[in-house]
Every structure is written in C-alpha cells, then in structure tokens.
Amino acid sequence: MKKSVFIRGLAALAVALLALLPCSLLAVPIVVSINDVPNGAPVIQVNGAPNGYDVYTGAGIATPGIEDGALITLIGVDQSGLIPDWGGRFVVPEAPLWFRTAVDIIWVGHDEDVIGNGDLQIGFNSALPGTYYFNPGLINPATGLPINEDENLGLVTDEWVTVYANDTLVVRYKPHTYRLLAQVERPFKIAGQVSTVIQLDGSFAFDASSGSSVGVSTAGGSFTAAGSGNAFTGVWSLTATSANGDQISGYHVPGSIPDEFRFTSGTGRFAGVSGEFTYVTSVPSIIPNPDGSATLIISYSYEGTGTITY
C-alpha cells in the first residue's frame, strides 16, 4: 500500500515537473510559417501546436495603410517562460534614411500583460512599400543605449528563412523582395461620375459606400471614392479605393486652370505614390434636393490625363 502511494506521488511530481517545461521539448517542435505575400495579407500557418493557437490582428499590432502584422499565441506553451524573448529584422540595401532600413520585424515573447497567462507568442510587422523601421541593433547616439536589440536577419529575399529555432519552436519567414522594386512613372488616365449632396454654402462630404463618386483609371481599374470639401471654393480632397482595397489619396489644386488633382499618399501597391493629372468636367447639374431639405444635388462627369509614380 505504501509502495503504491509512493509511486502515485512520483507520478504526480513528474506531471508537475513536465508542466514547468516548454510544451514541446518531448515532441517535435511547433512550426510557425509566415509568408509576407506581395499585394495581400500575410499568410500564417501553425503546425504542431498541442493546445491550438490564436491569431490577433486588432488594435496595437499594425497601423493600417503603413504595415501589416499579427500576434500569434501558442496556447499553453512555455507558460513558465523558460524560452528567452528574441527579435529580428530584415533590411533592404537602400532606403531614404540610413538609420531606417528594416522592413520586417519578427519577435518571440510571452503573453504577460494584466490578463495574460504567459503563453508563448510570435509577432511580426511587415512594412508596406515606402515605410521603413529602425535598423536592427540601432544605438541612440544621445544616450549610447540601443533603441532595439533585434538581430539583423539580412537582406529581404523571396526564399523561406528559418529565423528562430529551438527544441520547442521553429519560426520560418518569407519576406519577399517586392519592396526593392524601384518606383516607376506611368501615364495615367481617369474617367468618372460624381453625384452628391451639397449644402447651400457649397460644402459636401460623402463616403465610398454611397456611390457618390465612381470611375475607372489606368492605375487601379474601377474605383469608388470618399471625399469632402467645398464645391464653390474648389478646396476639396478625396480617397479612391480600387477593387482590391488599395487606396490613393490626394487633393484638388484650388484655382488651377485646367483643374488639377495631385496624389499625396497611398496604400498597398500605391504606397509612396506621387503624380498629378488635369481634368475637364461636363456642365454640372445643380438641382434642389428632392427630399425637401435645404440642400442641392450636384452631378457631373469628368475625364483626366497625367502621370502617376508608384
């Protein structure tokens, strides 16, 4: 009887000790693969997570229009924190600022916030074209302290790179070289229609879902637009969204003859966009709003040509 109690005690102790170890030391490692595909959301695959995993892409992980990113939590893995935190960055050979050449950041850490339970986590941020992060291991010259202690993972590549590996976890990352492509100036043509409500002082505002502004361009194909401004003063701006979600923003140059529109920013393949086009419109139709409100409806079509660089 005493022997069986002793054996049961050893078994319980063994289970308790195993709970303190990284989850997969006694099995094949968990493999996390992250493919930073061009012109699309990164593709994440997790194999071998014994208790499942969670992928979070919400607030605090990535800035829309600037970068993609996600935080992958391996549930129940290494809650004791035996695996040390780690970070690494891929870089490009040329960038506008010498101290900002990184375009991908990958890190390994633990869920240790107020409501966290210490689960092992893998996070990443991937800069869209035109965005650059601080260099890996960059030192602040004012303080002599590192801004980050991330490992230099080398130049971006179209091949899979094992960036992190131990008995518990293997992280594979495919950064791609699409951000090395030089921007190209292209001819630009656009045509569309606008129909929107304006106030009696000329001010207007509409969103892309309203269909107030639709058209087609040689850069992005068909698009819808969201805009605001004043039809009488000529001060207005808008953001056009193409069918795949890439966006171009810009503004009308007040007083320009012929009318001129300048690009200021973009997302996706249009990140870092520049250029302009001039356009002509049909004679605008301005009628009282049929809903009886003290507003007007202005409608017209337009065609434009110019150049766009992205």
Side-chain angles (χ1 to χ4, degrees):
M1 186 69 174
K2 290 183 180 180
K3 183 177 180 180
S4 62
V5 171
F6 177 71
I7 292 175
R8 287 198 300 271
L10 285 178
L13 178 60
V15 171
L17 289 175
L18 286 174
L20 296 176
L21 294 175
C23 183
S24 301
L25 281 179
L26 302 181
V28 295
I30 302 166
V31 179
V32 177
S33 301
I34 302 165
N35 188 356
D36 180 21
V37 296
N39 301 320
V43 177
I44 299 169
Q45 291 183 315
V46 179
N47 295 316
N51 304 309
Y53 63 94
D54 175 74
V55 177
Y56 176 73
T57 59
I61 297 301
T63 304
I66 299 296
E67 60 188 355
D68 290 318
L71 187 63
I72 306 156
T73 300
L74 305 178
I75 299 171
V77 176
D78 193 38
Q79 292 180 338
S80 58
L82 295 180
I83 295 176
D85 292 350
W86 169 89
R89 302 184 182 211
F90 284 100
V91 299
V92 293
E94 296 182 2
L97 299 174
W98 68 266
F99 55 89
R100 283 184 176 270
T101 63
V103 291
D104 288 285
I105 305 174
I106 310 99
W107 69 92
V108 174
H110 293 81
D111 181 14
E112 296 175 344
D113 58 23
V114 176
I115 60 174
N117 52 15
D119 291 337
L120 190 62
Q121 294 181 313
I122 303 91
F124 71 93
N125 285 120
S126 168
L128 297 178
T131 297
Y132 303 90
Y133 303 120
F134 284 126
N135 297 351
L138 184 65
I139 301 297
N140 185 333
T143 64
L145 300 175
I147 293 175
N148 67 77
E149 297 182 348
D150 291 346
E151 176 184 343
N152 189 335
L153 299 174
L155 297 179
V156 292
T157 173
D158 291 319
E159 304 298 325
W160 282 104
V161 179
T162 298
V163 298
Y164 183 90
N166 60 29
D167 291 337
T168 300
L169 174 67
V170 173
V171 180
R172 303 167 67 241
Y173 198 89
K174 195 173 188 179
H176 291 283
T177 58
Y178 65 93
R179 283 159 297 192
L180 297 177
L181 300 179
Q183 290 192 325
V184 177
E185 182 180 88
R186 301 168 170 87
F188 180 80
K189 292 184 178 182
I190 189 170
Q193 300 83 41
V194 175
S195 180
T196 190
V197 175
I198 64 173
Q199 305 300 314
L200 295 182
D201 64 358
S203 61
F204 68 89
F206 56 87
D207 60 35
S209 65
S210 68
S212 295
S213 177
V214 297
V216 62
S217 76
T218 53
S222 60
F223 67 85
T224 58
S228 63
N230 190 292
F232 299 159
T233 65
V235 177
W236 55 270
S237 61
L238 63 76
T239 296
T241 303
S242 60
N244 73 343
D246 293 345
Q247 295 183 324
I248 305 177
S249 298
Y251 67 95
H252 172 255
V253 180
S256 56
I257 301 176
D259 285 304
E260 180 179 341
F261 187 89
R262 293 180 183 172
F263 305 118
T264 58
S265 62
T267 66
R269 69 184 184 280
F270 299 123
V273 69
S274 61
E276 61 280 319
F277 65 90
T278 57
Y279 64 95
V280 295
T281 70
S282 63
V283 177
S285 167
I286 303 177
I287 62 173
N289 196 330
D291 68 4
S293 62
T295 58
L296 304 171
I297 293 180
I298 183 172
S299 303
Y300 61 89
S301 61
Y302 63 90
E303 293 183 352
T305 59
T307 60
I308 184 171
T309 300
Y310 62 93

